[in-house]
Amino acid sequence: MRMRPTLSWTPTGDLPPGTTDPEPVAGALRAGGVLVLSGAGLSTESGIPDYRGKDGSLSRHTPMTYQAFTAGAQARRRYWARSHLGWRTFGSARPNAGHRAVAAFARHGLLSGVITQNVDGLHQAAGSESVVELHGSLDRVVCLSCGALSSRRDLARRLEEANAGFEPVAAGLNPDGDADLTDEQVGDFRVVPCSNCGGVLKPDVVFFGEAVPPRRVEHCRELVDAATSLLVLGSSLTVMSGLRFVRQAARAGKPVLIVNRDPTRGDQHAVTRVSLPLGTALTALADRLDVPVDGEATDASEPVQLGQYPVGPVLPREVGGE
């Protein structure tokens, strides 16, 4: 069974207010065993937009759903044209201060693990290890027929060869790496098939309307069980894929702490929500805990290329949903 896409959530008036005091988060980190659950808000300072919030991309863009992608060739042509163009920018994004702070907390033994809803690979680029990519990663491509995994950089090369001269100017970039293009700009963009069997290729990410593989969900549940507390960073928790872990932690009596400027769907389960920019809040926390945070994770002359960095446990992909 595939989930119906959940694109928006409206806060209610009875949610607890946010605070600018990060001390409860600092206390949880001092105690150790903190499991991080990160969302798109953590990557906005790297130039990758959020879906929601005041300037979120959902105000102008409806993301591709699994149902639309699998329904017809025209939808896939539109997706791959936009995604191919967006990859050029998305693939050069750099980790920001928030990503580097999370990596520093892990190096100092304060974290039990990291689960990310993001598909950008920036946690790994900042130095975090054993990151569970809940929604997959844009640097991998999967064939819907034979299940073969391949490199996004290899696909980008093939698409470049098949679409020489494709250089439209996009109106913007979305959190899933999808650039804003009109149908006229998409034109007759050529989509290439799986080089193994000729099947349909899809980025190895969980689209809206598609379920997270059950074994990956179970692995994340085990991480929640093993953690002392759950720290949510930059997620509105609108979709159940992340919210379920907040509810699980709260039911088990584990403190849930959230750092997000706007209210979230999980606020009622949290002991605190720190309403500060992620980079500012996490850098301040590192200073308070005397945890040194590395500078730029890569040579400033070289853009980060997604796929260069080791990915945490990539559990076997399962076709179908929960």
Side-chain angles (χ1 to χ4, degrees):
M1 179 179 68
R2 297 188 179 98
M3 299 181 296
R4 180 181 179 184
T6 301
L7 301 182
S8 63
W9 164 78
T10 302
T12 60
D14 58 353
L15 290 176
T19 178
T20 57
D21 179 14
E23 181 53 36
V25 179
L29 288 166
R30 289 189 192 100
V34 177
L35 176 64
V36 165
L37 172 64
S38 69
L42 186 61
S43 292
T44 56
E45 293 173 40
S46 293
I48 298 175
D50 200 347
Y51 278 118
R52 301 171 180 87
K54 180 172 65 72
D55 300 315
S57 69
L58 285 181
S59 63
R60 65 177 193 280
H61 162 76
T62 300
M64 176 61 68
T65 66
Y66 182 83
Q67 291 78 8
F69 186 86
T70 56
Q74 183 56 37
R76 292 192 289 275
R77 175 180 295 109
R78 186 182 311 113
Y79 173 81
W80 279 119
R82 294 160 63 116
S83 185
H84 177 58
L85 184 64
W87 175 253
R88 298 173 183 173
T89 300
F90 198 89
S92 64
R94 298 177 183 274
N96 62 52
H99 297 110
R100 297 194 296 273
V102 170
F105 296 150
R107 283 196 302 273
H108 283 74
L110 306 183
L111 305 184
S112 64
V114 176
I115 301 169
T116 185
Q117 295 174 286
N118 299 336
V119 296
D120 53 35
L122 293 179
H123 274 300
Q124 295 93 318
S128 291
E129 300 177 352
S130 300
V131 177
V132 178
E133 296 173 315
L134 187 62
H135 294 156
S137 175
L138 274 179
D139 70 351
R140 299 186 300 270
V141 180
V142 64
C143 174
L144 295 183
S145 297
C146 69
L149 287 171
S150 56
S151 163
R152 179 60 182 268
R153 281 184 287 175
D154 179 63
L155 176 63
R157 176 187 57 77
R158 295 177 62 204
L159 288 173
E160 290 281 0
E161 293 172 353
N163 296 277
F166 182 73
E167 296 287 345
V169 177
L173 182 69
N174 301 305
D176 53 6
D178 184 5
D180 286 331
L181 295 177
T182 65
D183 287 344
E184 289 74 21
Q185 288 176 303
V186 170
D188 58 355
F189 184 87
R190 291 184 59 197
V191 177
V192 298
C194 172
S195 57
N196 184 52
C197 74
V200 171
L201 293 176
K202 172 185 171 292
D204 193 26
V205 300
V206 178
F207 280 169
F208 282 89
E210 185 180 11
V212 178
R215 289 184 62 186
R216 193 177 302 163
V217 173
E218 184 57 32
H219 179 54
C220 291
R221 289 195 182 280
E222 291 169 356
L223 292 177
V224 174
D225 285 339
T228 301
S229 59
L230 180 65
L231 175 58
V232 180
L233 302 177
S235 175
S236 67
L237 298 170
T238 295
V239 296
M240 188 57 65
S241 63
L243 180 62
R244 60 181 142 202
F245 303 125
V246 168
R247 291 178 173 175
Q248 176 189 348
R251 285 195 302 268
K254 299 174 187 287
V256 175
L257 307 102
I258 300 173
V259 183
N260 198 67
R261 295 190 68 170
D262 299 319
T264 82
R265 197 177 171 192
D267 282 8
Q268 62 183 308
H269 304 292
V271 298
T272 189
R273 176 175 61 83
V274 179
S275 182
L276 289 172
L278 269 295
T280 299
L282 294 175
T283 300
L285 283 165
D287 289 343
R288 184 173 297 201
L289 297 168
D290 293 323
V291 173
V293 177
D294 289 346
E296 286 289 344
T298 59
D299 186 322
S301 66
E302 294 294 331
V304 171
Q305 294 298 321
L306 303 187
Q308 284 184 318
Y309 300 90
V311 176
V314 179
L315 302 180
R317 188 180 188 282
E318 298 180 24
V319 178
E322 304 172 313

